[in-house]
Amino acid sequence: MREIIGGVCAPRGFKAGGIWCGIKASSKKRDLGLIYSEKACTSAALFTTNRVKAASVQISQKHIAGGKLHAIIVNSGNANACTGEAGLAAARRMAELAADAFAIAPAEVAVASTGVIGVPFPIAVVEHSIGALANSLQGDESGHSAALEAIMTTDTRRKEFSVEITIGGVPVRIGGMAKGAGMIHPNMATMLSFITTDAAVSRELLEKSLRRAVQRSFNRVTVDGDTSTNDAIIIMANGESGAPLIAAENDDYAVFAAALEAGCITLARAMARDGEGATKLVTVTVHGAADEQTAEKLAKAVAGSSLVKAACFGADANWGRILCALGYSGAEFDPAQTTVRFQSPAGAITVCSGGEAAAFSEEQAKAILSEENITILIDIGNGSGNATVWGCDLTYDYVKINGDYRS
Amino acid sequence: MREIIGGVCAPRGFKAGGIWCGIKASSKKRDLGLIYSEKACTSAALFTTNRVKAASVQISQKHIAGGKLHAIIVNSGNANACTGEAGLAAARRMAELAADAFAIAPAEVAVASTGVIGVPFPIAVVEHSIGALANSLQGDESGHSAALEAIMTTDTRRKEFSVEITIGGVPVRIGGMAKGAGMIHPNMATMLSFITTDAAVSRELLEKSLRRAVQRSFNRVTVDGDTSTNDAIIIMANGESGAPLIAAENDDYAVFAAALEAGCITLARAMARDGEGATKLVTVTVHGAADEQTAEKLAKAVAGSSLVKAACFGADANWGRILCALGYSGAEFDPAQTTVRFQSPAGAITVCSGGEAAAFSEEQAKAILSEENITILIDIGNGSGNATVWGCDLTYDYVKINGDYRS
């Protein structure tokens, strides 16, 4: 697997674009994007588990049921959630507009939205701009970049990847983008991710590989299964690489699934680092747990603890808060067998051993925790289960951003 | 029921005191407190459900099993948690020291601690000061105040109550104090509460009334059942009022239990308002839910949402975040039947009706949300279950306080 450029346009046969159509009325930043494949794509998707689902999610769930997509149309600046029948009509209309532009069926278009909840959706500006959007498509890095910019809201960093692997001797590419940056409860902010590949993959295995990759990446960006009204991740596989179809769980599948998982982890880590107001990426790795599920539960409690996050911001080696978070995680473990280490490019120290304070230099701890990439390593001493979760620190700016989001 | 003064010293036969003994080495604020009844008290308690339990909690759990207490000794400045065998020995020693001072049995003394986790407990300074502590006891408001000050850490406000009720024609008093102020995940910060009464109550009914009161008060201060390593609430009933024994669930019990619940709600509201860095008390009331449990789950999701809390800080009527929080609460409800209102001394407005935006004045909403006491009223339109949960806003100062707690 090697990194290449191009994002969602790296795989053959995909074009993308993004424009400003007027939904972000004041900022005039790009707010409407499109990803398109001339050849119909085997597709799979995962959506929010929130009971309140955006109109775009409801429409896309129907369209994805068919298993084939040509395009994804996406807007930022308005979530089109809690907008009733008018919202559903607008989401349906977005799919129609994209379908008409490329002479495909509306059911072959997925729709995604991100932005403020509860504001009527201004479908007229999308209608007005669909021609310009279609004309903006490009099959290279610049098309990818324009589409990526069109999905960003409070994001301050680009989240993207593209890699090349070999399937049956043929080069196969996978590319992706994501947006999302609301990280105390990460999934309360919308997470969108779109992934393209020129691999040929059966619907069943495409969905299976996506589900597994998401479980080990986006679902491990702090805290729990809470999801916003709009969360969606969609993958499109058009087979344009000419590589053999992946239709069984063989070596080809393993190579594809591993690359997809690595790509999703790249996007998920970038989301954690871009947590609203965050200054640090905090990686929490639990090992020695009874099993992977237990390790994940313990790691999520630590990465999701506001007190741990605030201590990371202050570079304060307050490991007691870590023990406390482990203690309320709901997972079985023996505090007296627990070891906690802090690691960063500046060094590594054990701060807690056997559930009690280890002798360590506060000065060294401060230096380690002052780095931008911090790892909290926790050994439960009880088995071989391990899991890694990504979070960020909690800062003044988180409050600033969220205290006045709408204006 | 009428309010009186005196706190835990309002009920007859109770004395209290608090001194600085040296655990809070730098601030020289009071750090050691005692509540004492010459007559043995029927007692009940509830402790943290965290798997990591402070030494004081482990010792008090044993002592309370006997059902009788004469005293509670408590310190702030050190949690005596994650301190191993030495910590257990220190907690045992604290009970012994108090017992020796009053010629009672160590098993009749409860021990409580709050402060930093994982720092060896300086038992020597307690040994040195036990005489001064015993001598500081007073049976009035000033004794209560000294003990209350001795349990405060990041608390900026006093949490206390005392009321008088009538049982069998005899005036009966209940008084209490609490500390706790770490409110993103509220119970991650230690919550301590001590309640005294001169009622005569059977052990069984004392425990039952305490459990119910806690469920409807402290357990409804934002978020979930997460608890710190040190949380404890202890009630002591010495019967000194001369009122008839409450040993059956009759009218006397109902009067006592209602007063205890009201007292606990007073303390819980004060804790929410004193959330670290908080500028506002945010009361979330859900009605029209299928049952009380569902209503509580929905209300907790809203009060615990960092995005809702940040919006309250910014006085931003971002009701979409409320719908989103309801949606991931895990409770069953129909968004299309949901109404959301904001209320405060400045007015009341409906911001969401039938799950969609209601027409409202942003200016009026801003005025309502700029008040110090905000109520979010949510009608689920599906039954008669209701519940109220108390939270606070999320501010820059929360981050400041928790980014550098230990120094």
Side-chain angles (χ1 to χ4, degrees):
Chain A
M1 187 174 80
R2 67 185 187 91
E3 291 186 20
I4 56 175
I5 60 159
V8 297
C9 293
R12 295 158 194 83
F14 286 96
K15 292 181 177 175
I19 60 167
W20 174 70
C21 75
I23 301 172
K24 287 179 176 169
S26 54
S27 75
K28 302 208 173 175
K29 289 184 177 171
R30 284 193 171 91
D31 54 14
L32 189 65
L34 188 79
I35 300 170
Y36 171 71
S37 164
E38 198 172 335
K39 191 171 168 192
C41 301
T42 301
S43 300
L46 292 169
F47 297 101
T48 182
T49 55
N50 197 305
R51 285 198 161 255
V52 181
K53 291 187 200 334
S56 53
V57 167
Q58 295 179 54
I59 297 303
S60 289
Q61 280 180 318
K62 280 184 193 163
H63 292 185
I64 201 77
K68 289 283 179 192
L69 289 181
H70 270 284
I72 302 167
I73 184 166
V74 54
N75 75 277
S76 55
N78 187 312
N80 196 8
C82 300
T83 44
E85 280 304 321
L88 281 170
R92 252 183 242 114
R93 183 76 184 126
M94 272 177 76
E96 277 171 17
L97 289 168
D100 289 350
F102 300 100
I104 53 179
E108 293 169 327
V109 179
V111 183
S113 299
T114 178
V116 185
I117 301 173
V119 175
F121 190 84
I123 187 66
V125 300
V126 179
E127 286 176 332
H128 185 75
S129 303
I130 189 70
L133 179 65
N135 287 332
S136 79
L137 294 197
Q138 292 185 274
D140 59 10
E141 170 72 35
S142 63
H144 162 79
S145 283
L148 174 54
E149 284 166 23
I151 67 173
M152 290 167 75
T153 55
T154 52
D155 304 64
T156 64
R157 290 157 176 253
R158 294 162 63 98
K159 291 118 191 157
E160 60 195 334
F161 80 94
S162 29
V163 296
E164 188 171 272
I165 53 177
T166 306
I167 303 274
V170 178
V172 164
R173 295 171 181 168
I174 310 176
M177 62 171 65
K179 66 92 38 181
M183 291 294 156
I184 282 194
H185 291 290
N187 302 324
M188 281 169 62
T190 298
M191 189 215 104
L192 296 180
S193 179
F194 308 123
I195 297 174
T196 59
T197 178
D198 51 20
V201 190
S202 73
R203 173 80 195 276
E204 187 194 343
L205 291 183
L206 194 66
E207 186 166 328
K208 183 168 185 171
S209 59
L210 181 67
R211 195 172 290 277
R212 183 194 155 98
V214 167
Q215 175 56 32
R216 295 204 170 157
S217 57
F218 299 112
N219 284 354
R220 289 193 178 164
V221 176
T222 54
V223 215
D224 46 37
D226 294 351
T227 55
S228 91
T229 51
N230 288 58
D231 294 347
I233 175 165
I234 303 171
I235 184 168
M236 300 166 77
N238 66 5
E240 290 274 351
S241 64
L245 174 71
I246 300 171
E249 292 190 46
N250 52 19
D251 287 354
D252 289 348
Y253 172 75
V255 168
F256 175 79
L260 179 60
E261 184 177 317
C264 287
I265 286 176
T266 299
L267 298 177
R269 279 175 55 103
M271 280 175 55
R273 174 60 186 86
D274 199 19
E276 281 171 347
T279 66
K280 293 171 187 175
L281 173 67
V282 180
T283 301
V284 180
T285 295
V286 168
H287 56 108
D291 51 38
E292 182 178 341
Q293 204 181 359
T294 303
E296 183 177 333
K297 200 184 268 189
L298 290 162
K300 279 184 173 173
V302 173
S305 158
S306 296
L307 291 175
V308 171
K309 290 158 68 88
C312 288
F313 174 57
D316 179 10
N318 199 331
W319 60 268
R321 292 180 179 173
I322 294 169
L323 266 281
C324 185
L326 295 170
Y328 67 66
S329 67
E332 298 268 337
F333 81 108
D334 180 1
Q337 298 301 316
T338 301
T339 300
V340 179
R341 284 171 66 79
F342 292 141
Q343 257 180 232
S344 83
I349 47 165
T350 298
V351 290
C352 166
S353 179
E356 297 178 41
F360 67 89
S361 148
E362 287 280 351
E363 201 179 336
Q364 197 192 349
K366 193 103 193 164
I368 290 169
L369 295 176
S370 295
E371 291 284 323
E372 192 187 318
N373 281 298
I374 303 171
T375 299
I376 301 175
L377 260 177
I378 301 162
D379 184 356
I380 297 300
N382 185 39
S384 60
N386 67 72
T388 293
V389 165
W390 300 275
C392 62
D393 56 345
L394 174 61
T395 70
Y396 302 128
D397 280 351
Y398 176 87
V399 179
K400 188 170 177 183
I401 292 167
N402 287 298
D404 204 19
Y405 173 59
R406 296 190 313 164
S407 54
Chain B
M1 187 174 81
R2 66 186 187 91
E3 291 187 20
I4 56 175
I5 62 160
V8 297
C9 293
R12 295 158 194 83
F14 286 95
K15 291 180 178 175
I19 61 168
W20 174 70
C21 76
I23 301 172
K24 286 179 177 168
S26 54
S27 76
K28 301 208 173 176
K29 288 184 178 172
R30 284 192 171 92
D31 54 14
L32 190 64
L34 189 79
I35 300 171
Y36 173 71
S37 164
E38 198 173 334
K39 192 171 168 192
C41 300
T42 301
S43 298
L46 292 170
F47 297 101
T48 180
T49 55
N50 197 304
R51 285 199 159 254
V52 180
K53 290 185 199 336
S56 53
V57 167
Q58 296 179 54
I59 298 302
S60 289
Q61 281 180 316
K62 281 184 192 163
H63 291 186
I64 202 77
K68 288 284 179 190
L69 290 179
H70 271 284
I72 302 167
I73 184 166
V74 55
N75 75 276
S76 56
N78 187 312
N80 197 7
C82 301
T83 44
E85 279 304 322
L88 282 170
R92 255 182 239 112
R93 183 77 183 125
M94 272 177 77
E96 277 171 17
L97 290 167
D100 290 351
F102 299 101
I104 53 179
E108 292 169 330
V109 180
V111 184
S113 299
T114 178
V116 185
I117 300 173
V119 175
F121 190 85
I123 188 66
V125 300
V126 178
E127 285 175 333
H128 185 75
S129 302
I130 189 72
L133 179 64
N135 286 333
S136 79
L137 295 198
Q138 290 184 276
D140 60 10
E141 170 71 36
S142 63
H144 162 79
S145 283
L148 174 55
E149 284 166 24
I151 66 174
M152 289 166 77
T153 54
T154 51
D155 304 65
T156 64
R157 290 157 177 253
R158 296 162 62 97
K159 291 118 191 155
E160 61 195 334
F161 80 93
S162 28
V163 296
E164 190 172 272
I165 52 177
T166 305
I167 303 275
V170 178
V172 164
R173 294 170 183 170
I174 310 177
M177 63 171 65
K179 67 90 38 181
M183 290 294 154
I184 283 194
H185 291 291
N187 302 324
M188 281 170 61
T190 297
M191 188 216 103
L192 296 179
S193 179
F194 308 124
I195 297 173
T196 59
T197 178
D198 51 21
V201 190
S202 73
R203 173 79 194 279
E204 188 196 343
L205 291 185
L206 194 65
E207 187 165 327
K208 182 167 185 171
S209 59
L210 181 66
R211 195 171 291 276
R212 183 192 154 100
V214 167
Q215 176 56 32
R216 294 202 170 160
S217 56
F218 299 112
N219 284 355
R220 289 192 179 167
V221 176
T222 53
V223 214
D224 46 36
D226 294 353
T227 55
S228 92
T229 52
N230 288 58
D231 294 347
I233 175 165
I234 304 171
I235 183 167
M236 301 166 76
N238 66 6
E240 290 275 352
S241 63
L245 175 70
I246 299 170
E249 292 189 45
N250 52 20
D251 287 355
D252 289 349
Y253 172 76
V255 168
F256 175 79
L260 179 60
E261 184 178 317
C264 287
I265 286 175
T266 299
L267 297 176
R269 279 175 55 102
M271 280 175 55
R273 174 60 186 87
D274 199 18
E276 282 172 348
T279 66
K280 293 171 188 176
L281 173 66
V282 180
T283 301
V284 179
T285 295
V286 168
H287 57 107
D291 51 38
E292 182 178 338
Q293 206 180 359
T294 303
E296 183 176 332
K297 201 184 265 189
L298 290 162
K300 280 184 172 172
V302 173
S305 158
S306 297
L307 291 176
V308 171
K309 290 159 69 90
C312 288
F313 174 57
D316 178 11
N318 199 332
W319 60 269
R321 292 179 179 174
I322 294 170
L323 267 281
C324 185
L326 294 171
Y328 66 66
S329 69
E332 298 267 338
F333 82 108
D334 179 1
Q337 298 301 316
T338 301
T339 300
V340 180
R341 285 170 64 79
F342 293 141
Q343 258 180 231
S344 82
I349 46 165
T350 299
V351 291
C352 165
S353 180
E356 297 179 39
F360 67 90
S361 147
E362 287 280 351
E363 201 180 334
Q364 195 192 351
K366 193 103 191 164
I368 290 169
L369 294 175
S370 295
E371 291 285 321
E372 192 187 318
N373 281 297
I374 302 171
T375 299
I376 300 174
L377 261 177
I378 301 161
D379 184 356
I380 297 300
N382 185 39
S384 60
N386 66 74
T388 293
V389 165
W390 300 275
C392 61
D393 57 345
L394 173 62
T395 70
Y396 303 128
D397 281 351
Y398 176 88
V399 179
K400 187 170 179 184
I401 292 167
N402 287 299
D404 205 19
Y405 174 58
R406 296 189 315 165
S407 54

